Amino acid sequence: MTGPDAYAGVGATAADGIRKAAAFGEPEQWRFEWDRVYTREEWLDQVPTFGGHGQLPAEKLDALLSGLGDAVDALGGSFSMHYTTVVVTAVRSG
């Protein structure tokens, strides 16, 4: 499963943990959708920080970044990434 619903189980597990702690009111889930425009350089700076890319051997990471840079260049040098942030909150009792 991908997209915002991919985290529904994680949110439910967090809410269950909050309820079991018995120190909080009823959990609420919030979802925020937003977009961010990345330039080529901004995106290439981000790539090594997620998905285990930073653990790739240098030559493989360089090849990945080169290919991604070419793809962003083909889009005009920037692109918009859509994000969904899912949050579980609860007010502490007492």
Side-chain angles (χ1 to χ4, degrees), residues 7-87:
Y7 294 101
V10 174
T13 299
D16 288 345
I18 290 168
R19 286 184 194 99
K20 287 178 186 175
F24 300 91
E26 183 60 22
E28 295 183 24
Q29 290 192 37
W30 302 88
R31 181 180 296 194
F32 303 95
E33 298 198 23
W34 52 286
D35 295 291
R36 170 141 177 3
V37 175
Y38 288 95
T39 65
R40 178 185 198 278
E41 293 75 26
E42 289 170 335
W43 186 246
L44 296 182
D45 284 346
Q46 291 293 313
V47 170
T49 69
F50 60 81
H53 297 124
Q55 296 180 16
L56 289 172
E59 64 278 358
K60 288 188 178 187
L61 180 59
D62 289 345
L64 173 65
L65 294 175
S66 177
L68 290 172
D70 291 346
V72 175
D73 287 342
L75 294 171
S78 66
F79 68 97
S80 181
M81 176 73 76
H82 181 75
Y83 290 96
T84 302
T85 302
V86 179
V87 181

